[in-house]
Amino acid sequence: MTIELHTWNTPNGRKISVALEEMGLPYKVIPVNITKGEQMAPGFLKLSPNNKIPAIVDPEGPDGKPVSIFESGAILLYLGEKTGKFLPKSLSQRIPVYEWLMWQMGGFGPMPGQVHHFIALENEQDRAYGLKRYMAETRRLYGVLDRRLADRDFVAGELSVADFAILGWAWRHPRHKVDLADFPNVKRWYEALMARPAVKRGMDAKLD
């Protein structure tokens, strides 16, 4: 059964297309053009009460019944549970997956997202304070990630949904004005992930 991915070409959307490809799940993209306000449409609101992409509809959800899920972190955990892939079975091994997924959701997303906002402003005075504040915090978060990856291949040890979540935002590092050469462990991790065929398919999938 084909999963519907309601999304747009954003870091949060890419998290899910990469995960679906890595998990080998069939899906079809239903674009939600956020530049035209389509995320505010009543039909999409039924899937995503917060009017944010992405959302999925799985026609073969729990007990074989259709289910819709919003919030990219929740979607990743659901897909990991559904497939048994990229989400360890033991609680002790899940803990770092949960930690680093929440790290992405609470920091390495909202902070670079503010960079995206302020860098697009035309008024230099409006841009200056926001960029100074949020670029500094974004670089700090890259540093946190770099230290985490100093002695492991992936953030939770084995490849997991947490890596897919973080990758969606690391993909936009040029827009963050971050040179990955400054964070060599992140650079190694990023290049290894981007070299995976399924990740490449997920990144190349047309989401808009």
Side-chain angles (χ1 to χ4, degrees):
M1 301 285 282
T2 300
I3 290 174
E4 294 179 0
L5 172 56
H6 298 252
T7 194
W8 196 242
N9 186 26
T10 71
N12 288 333
R14 288 292 166 197
K15 296 176 192 177
I16 310 305
S17 59
V18 165
L20 289 165
E21 292 286 354
E22 283 282 358
M23 294 173 184
L25 290 171
Y27 68 100
K28 66 177 179 180
V29 174
I30 299 178
V32 179
N33 190 336
I34 60 176
T35 69
K36 295 182 178 179
E38 291 179 0
Q39 73 275 23
M40 308 303 291
F44 184 68
L45 180 63
K46 291 179 181 178
L47 302 179
S48 181
N50 197 31
N51 296 109
K52 300 288 186 181
I53 59 96
I56 67 167
V57 176
D58 183 359
E60 196 172 14
D63 304 318
K65 297 177 182 178
V67 66
S68 64
I69 303 127
F70 73 103
E71 286 293 332
S72 59
I75 294 169
L76 287 171
L77 290 173
Y78 168 78
L79 294 174
E81 292 279 2
K82 177 183 175 71
T83 62
K85 297 178 179 179
F86 307 108
L87 191 61
K89 290 183 171 58
S90 75
L91 181 57
S92 61
Q93 290 178 309
R94 282 192 185 207
I95 289 171
V97 176
Y98 293 155
E99 288 175 329
W100 287 92
L101 178 59
M102 298 309 140
W103 176 83
Q104 185 280 303
M105 299 294 293
F108 196 72
M111 294 302 104
Q114 292 299 319
V115 174
H116 294 183
H117 171 77
F118 282 100
I119 210 166
L121 297 182
E122 294 183 4
N123 184 296
E124 182 58 35
Q125 189 173 0
D126 290 342
R127 283 162 45 96
Y129 170 74
L131 284 178
K132 182 179 179 181
R133 174 181 172 84
Y134 292 110
M135 278 185 168
E137 177 63 6
T138 294
R139 288 189 66 85
R140 187 190 73 80
L141 290 165
Y142 273 96
V144 171
L145 181 60
D146 197 67
R147 290 191 296 275
R148 176 65 179 180
L149 292 167
D151 59 354
R152 68 202 78 220
D153 291 335
F154 304 105
V155 293
E158 298 296 324
L159 181 62
S160 74
V161 294
D163 294 285
F164 303 153
I166 297 166
L167 181 66
W169 283 92
W171 167 60
R172 286 289 179 89
H173 67 272
R175 193 170 177 181
H176 306 158
K177 304 297 183 184
V178 167
D179 184 348
L180 292 187
D182 295 340
F183 304 96
N185 299 316
V186 176
K187 186 173 188 289
R188 169 192 46 79
W189 166 88
Y190 180 82
E191 290 176 350
L193 278 173
M194 294 297 277
R196 293 174 66 90
V199 169
K200 188 176 189 309
R201 291 194 300 272
M203 286 297 184
D204 290 344
K206 184 169 175 54
L207 302 187
D208 53 15

PDB file of all heavy atoms in Angstrom, residues 35-54:
ATOM      1  N   THR A  35       4.434  28.247  -0.279  1.00  0.00           N
ATOM      2  CA  THR A  35       4.602  29.629  -0.745  1.00  0.00           C
ATOM      3  C   THR A  35       3.274  30.236  -1.167  1.00  0.00           C
ATOM      4  O   THR A  35       3.165  31.448  -1.298  1.00  0.00           O
ATOM      5  CB  THR A  35       5.598  29.704  -1.918  1.00  0.00           C
ATOM      6  OG1 THR A  35       5.030  29.083  -3.075  1.00  0.00           O
ATOM      7  CG2 THR A  35       6.904  29.010  -1.565  1.00  0.00           C
ATOM      8  N   LYS A  36       2.286  29.381  -1.378  1.00  0.00           N
ATOM      9  CA  LYS A  36       0.947  29.851  -1.747  1.00  0.00           C
ATOM     10  C   LYS A  36      -0.069  29.645  -0.623  1.00  0.00           C
ATOM     11  O   LYS A  36      -1.269  29.810  -0.830  1.00  0.00           O
ATOM     12  CB  LYS A  36       0.468  29.139  -3.019  1.00  0.00           C
ATOM     13  CG  LYS A  36       1.299  29.457  -4.251  1.00  0.00           C
ATOM     14  CD  LYS A  36       0.753  28.754  -5.487  1.00  0.00           C
ATOM     15  CE  LYS A  36       1.559  29.119  -6.722  1.00  0.00           C
ATOM     16  NZ  LYS A  36       1.057  28.411  -7.935  1.00  0.00           N
ATOM     17  N   GLY A  37       0.414  29.240   0.543  1.00  0.00           N
ATOM     18  CA  GLY A  37      -0.482  29.078   1.683  1.00  0.00           C
ATOM     19  C   GLY A  37      -1.331  27.826   1.648  1.00  0.00           C
ATOM     20  O   GLY A  37      -2.319  27.727   2.390  1.00  0.00           O
ATOM     21  N   GLU A  38      -0.930  26.829   0.843  1.00  0.00           N
ATOM     22  CA  GLU A  38      -1.760  25.626   0.740  1.00  0.00           C
ATOM     23  C   GLU A  38      -1.798  24.820   2.034  1.00  0.00           C
ATOM     24  O   GLU A  38      -2.705  24.012   2.235  1.00  0.00           O
ATOM     25  CB  GLU A  38      -1.261  24.746  -0.422  1.00  0.00           C
ATOM     26  CG  GLU A  38      -1.521  25.365  -1.784  1.00  0.00           C
ATOM     27  CD  GLU A  38      -1.023  24.518  -2.935  1.00  0.00           C
ATOM     28  OE1 GLU A  38      -0.460  23.427  -2.672  1.00  0.00           O
ATOM     29  OE2 GLU A  38      -1.194  24.940  -4.101  1.00  0.00           O
ATOM     30  N   GLN A  39      -0.829  25.072   2.928  1.00  0.00           N
ATOM     31  CA  GLN A  39      -0.837  24.385   4.220  1.00  0.00           C
ATOM     32  C   GLN A  39      -1.989  24.851   5.114  1.00  0.00           C
ATOM     33  O   GLN A  39      -2.279  24.221   6.137  1.00  0.00           O
ATOM     34  CB  GLN A  39       0.511  24.583   4.945  1.00  0.00           C
ATOM     35  CG  GLN A  39       0.736  25.969   5.522  1.00  0.00           C
ATOM     36  CD  GLN A  39       1.304  26.955   4.519  1.00  0.00           C
ATOM     37  OE1 GLN A  39       1.171  26.792   3.313  1.00  0.00           O
ATOM     38  NE2 GLN A  39       1.941  27.992   5.025  1.00  0.00           N
ATOM     39  N   MET A  40      -2.641  25.954   4.725  1.00  0.00           N
ATOM     40  CA  MET A  40      -3.764  26.465   5.510  1.00  0.00           C
ATOM     41  C   MET A  40      -5.106  25.920   5.026  1.00  0.00           C
ATOM     42  O   MET A  40      -6.143  26.208   5.622  1.00  0.00           O
ATOM     43  CB  MET A  40      -3.794  28.003   5.453  1.00  0.00           C
ATOM     44  CG  MET A  40      -2.465  28.665   5.822  1.00  0.00           C
ATOM     45  SD  MET A  40      -1.857  28.204   7.463  1.00  0.00           S
ATOM     46  CE  MET A  40      -3.068  29.022   8.493  1.00  0.00           C
ATOM     47  N   ALA A  41      -5.083  25.141   3.956  1.00  0.00           N
ATOM     48  CA  ALA A  41      -6.326  24.615   3.393  1.00  0.00           C
ATOM     49  C   ALA A  41      -7.006  23.667   4.374  1.00  0.00           C
ATOM     50  O   ALA A  41      -6.338  22.908   5.086  1.00  0.00           O
ATOM     51  CB  ALA A  41      -6.045  23.899   2.073  1.00  0.00           C
ATOM     52  N   PRO A  42      -8.342  23.685   4.434  1.00  0.00           N
ATOM     53  CA  PRO A  42      -9.068  22.820   5.377  1.00  0.00           C
ATOM     54  C   PRO A  42      -8.727  21.343   5.236  1.00  0.00           C
ATOM     55  O   PRO A  42      -8.636  20.629   6.233  1.00  0.00           O
ATOM     56  CB  PRO A  42     -10.532  23.091   5.040  1.00  0.00           C
ATOM     57  CG  PRO A  42     -10.543  24.466   4.449  1.00  0.00           C
ATOM     58  CD  PRO A  42      -9.254  24.587   3.700  1.00  0.00           C
ATOM     59  N   GLY A  43      -8.520  20.884   4.008  1.00  0.00           N
ATOM     60  CA  GLY A  43      -8.202  19.478   3.807  1.00  0.00           C
ATOM     61  C   GLY A  43      -6.880  19.099   4.447  1.00  0.00           C
ATOM     62  O   GLY A  43      -6.755  18.031   5.062  1.00  0.00           O
ATOM     63  N   PHE A  44      -5.881  19.977   4.323  1.00  0.00           N
ATOM     64  CA  PHE A  44      -4.591  19.686   4.939  1.00  0.00           C
ATOM     65  C   PHE A  44      -4.664  19.838   6.453  1.00  0.00           C
ATOM     66  O   PHE A  44      -4.004  19.097   7.194  1.00  0.00           O
ATOM     67  CB  PHE A  44      -3.499  20.594   4.369  1.00  0.00           C
ATOM     68  CG  PHE A  44      -2.134  20.265   4.893  1.00  0.00           C
ATOM     69  CD1 PHE A  44      -1.497  19.078   4.550  1.00  0.00           C
ATOM     70  CD2 PHE A  44      -1.475  21.133   5.752  1.00  0.00           C
ATOM     71  CE1 PHE A  44      -0.232  18.761   5.054  1.00  0.00           C
ATOM     72  CE2 PHE A  44      -0.215  20.826   6.261  1.00  0.00           C
ATOM     73  CZ  PHE A  44       0.402  19.645   5.902  1.00  0.00           C
ATOM     74  N   LEU A  45      -5.482  20.773   6.918  1.00  0.00           N
ATOM     75  CA  LEU A  45      -5.645  20.969   8.363  1.00  0.00           C
ATOM     76  C   LEU A  45      -6.145  19.702   9.046  1.00  0.00           C
ATOM     77  O   LEU A  45      -5.796  19.427  10.190  1.00  0.00           O
ATOM     78  CB  LEU A  45      -6.607  22.126   8.623  1.00  0.00           C
ATOM     79  CG  LEU A  45      -6.911  22.474  10.082  1.00  0.00           C
ATOM     80  CD1 LEU A  45      -5.648  22.931  10.789  1.00  0.00           C
ATOM     81  CD2 LEU A  45      -7.993  23.539  10.168  1.00  0.00           C
ATOM     82  N   LYS A  46      -6.933  18.918   8.344  1.00  0.00           N
ATOM     83  CA  LYS A  46      -7.421  17.665   8.921  1.00  0.00           C
ATOM     84  C   LYS A  46      -6.270  16.687   9.175  1.00  0.00           C
ATOM     85  O   LYS A  46      -6.335  15.870  10.094  1.00  0.00           O
ATOM     86  CB  LYS A  46      -8.457  17.025   7.994  1.00  0.00           C
ATOM     87  CG  LYS A  46      -9.775  17.799   7.913  1.00  0.00           C
ATOM     88  CD  LYS A  46     -10.745  17.116   6.960  1.00  0.00           C
ATOM     89  CE  LYS A  46     -12.053  17.891   6.867  1.00  0.00           C
ATOM     90  NZ  LYS A  46     -12.999  17.257   5.911  1.00  0.00           N
ATOM     91  N   LEU A  47      -5.238  16.779   8.350  1.00  0.00           N
ATOM     92  CA  LEU A  47      -4.074  15.894   8.511  1.00  0.00           C
ATOM     93  C   LEU A  47      -3.067  16.481   9.489  1.00  0.00           C
ATOM     94  O   LEU A  47      -2.417  15.747  10.231  1.00  0.00           O
ATOM     95  CB  LEU A  47      -3.378  15.681   7.160  1.00  0.00           C
ATOM     96  CG  LEU A  47      -4.205  15.103   6.016  1.00  0.00           C
ATOM     97  CD1 LEU A  47      -3.339  14.989   4.769  1.00  0.00           C
ATOM     98  CD2 LEU A  47      -4.786  13.746   6.402  1.00  0.00           C
ATOM     99  N   SER A  48      -2.917  17.796   9.451  1.00  0.00           N
ATOM    100  CA  SER A  48      -1.891  18.468  10.252  1.00  0.00           C
ATOM    101  C   SER A  48      -2.528  19.649  10.980  1.00  0.00           C
ATOM    102  O   SER A  48      -2.593  20.752  10.434  1.00  0.00           O
ATOM    103  CB  SER A  48      -0.751  18.943   9.342  1.00  0.00           C
ATOM    104  OG  SER A  48       0.249  19.582  10.100  1.00  0.00           O
ATOM    105  N   PRO A  49      -2.986  19.456  12.204  1.00  0.00           N
ATOM    106  CA  PRO A  49      -3.696  20.520  12.931  1.00  0.00           C
ATOM    107  C   PRO A  49      -2.873  21.781  13.146  1.00  0.00           C
ATOM    108  O   PRO A  49      -3.429  22.846  13.403  1.00  0.00           O
ATOM    109  CB  PRO A  49      -4.034  19.861  14.274  1.00  0.00           C
ATOM    110  CG  PRO A  49      -3.982  18.400  14.017  1.00  0.00           C
ATOM    111  CD  PRO A  49      -2.961  18.194  12.954  1.00  0.00           C
ATOM    112  N   ASN A  50      -1.541  21.663  13.023  1.00  0.00           N
ATOM    113  CA  ASN A  50      -0.663  22.823  13.201  1.00  0.00           C
ATOM    114  C   ASN A  50      -0.340  23.516  11.885  1.00  0.00           C
ATOM    115  O   ASN A  50       0.466  24.447  11.850  1.00  0.00           O
ATOM    116  CB  ASN A  50       0.640  22.381  13.889  1.00  0.00           C
ATOM    117  CG  ASN A  50       1.423  23.528  14.487  1.00  0.00           C
ATOM    118  OD1 ASN A  50       0.846  24.523  14.925  1.00  0.00           O
ATOM    119  ND2 ASN A  50       2.735  23.409  14.523  1.00  0.00           N
ATOM    120  N   ASN A  51      -0.972  23.065  10.793  1.00  0.00           N
ATOM    121  CA  ASN A  51      -0.769  23.669   9.474  1.00  0.00           C
ATOM    122  C   ASN A  51       0.698  23.678   9.039  1.00  0.00           C
ATOM    123  O   ASN A  51       1.156  24.603   8.383  1.00  0.00           O
ATOM    124  CB  ASN A  51      -1.302  25.104   9.428  1.00  0.00           C
ATOM    125  CG  ASN A  51      -2.791  25.181   9.636  1.00  0.00           C
ATOM    126  OD1 ASN A  51      -3.252  25.635  10.673  1.00  0.00           O
ATOM    127  ND2 ASN A  51      -3.565  24.746   8.657  1.00  0.00           N
ATOM    128  N   LYS A  52       1.437  22.632   9.402  1.00  0.00           N
ATOM    129  CA  LYS A  52       2.840  22.539   9.007  1.00  0.00           C
ATOM    130  C   LYS A  52       3.071  21.244   8.238  1.00  0.00           C
ATOM    131  O   LYS A  52       2.474  20.215   8.549  1.00  0.00           O
ATOM    132  CB  LYS A  52       3.757  22.541  10.244  1.00  0.00           C
ATOM    133  CG  LYS A  52       3.638  23.777  11.116  1.00  0.00           C
ATOM    134  CD  LYS A  52       4.255  25.000  10.464  1.00  0.00           C
ATOM    135  CE  LYS A  52       4.251  26.182  11.423  1.00  0.00           C
ATOM    136  NZ  LYS A  52       4.832  27.394  10.808  1.00  0.00           N
ATOM    137  N   ILE A  53       3.936  21.330   7.226  1.00  0.00           N
ATOM    138  CA  ILE A  53       4.358  20.113   6.533  1.00  0.00           C
ATOM    139  C   ILE A  53       5.568  19.548   7.256  1.00  0.00           C
ATOM    140  O   ILE A  53       6.267  20.291   7.959  1.00  0.00           O
ATOM    141  CB  ILE A  53       4.663  20.389   5.038  1.00  0.00           C
ATOM    142  CG1 ILE A  53       5.777  21.438   4.867  1.00  0.00           C
ATOM    143  CG2 ILE A  53       3.445  20.840   4.305  1.00  0.00           C
ATOM    144  CD1 ILE A  53       7.119  20.860   4.664  1.00  0.00           C
ATOM    145  N   PRO A  54       5.784  18.233   7.139  1.00  0.00           N
ATOM    146  CA  PRO A  54       5.058  17.248   6.351  1.00  0.00           C
ATOM    147  C   PRO A  54       3.978  16.551   7.173  1.00  0.00           C
ATOM    148  O   PRO A  54       3.926  16.667   8.394  1.00  0.00           O
ATOM    149  CB  PRO A  54       6.165  16.252   5.989  1.00  0.00           C
ATOM    150  CG  PRO A  54       7.054  16.269   7.211  1.00  0.00           C
ATOM    151  CD  PRO A  54       7.040  17.693   7.702  1.00  0.00           C
TER     152      PRO A  54
END
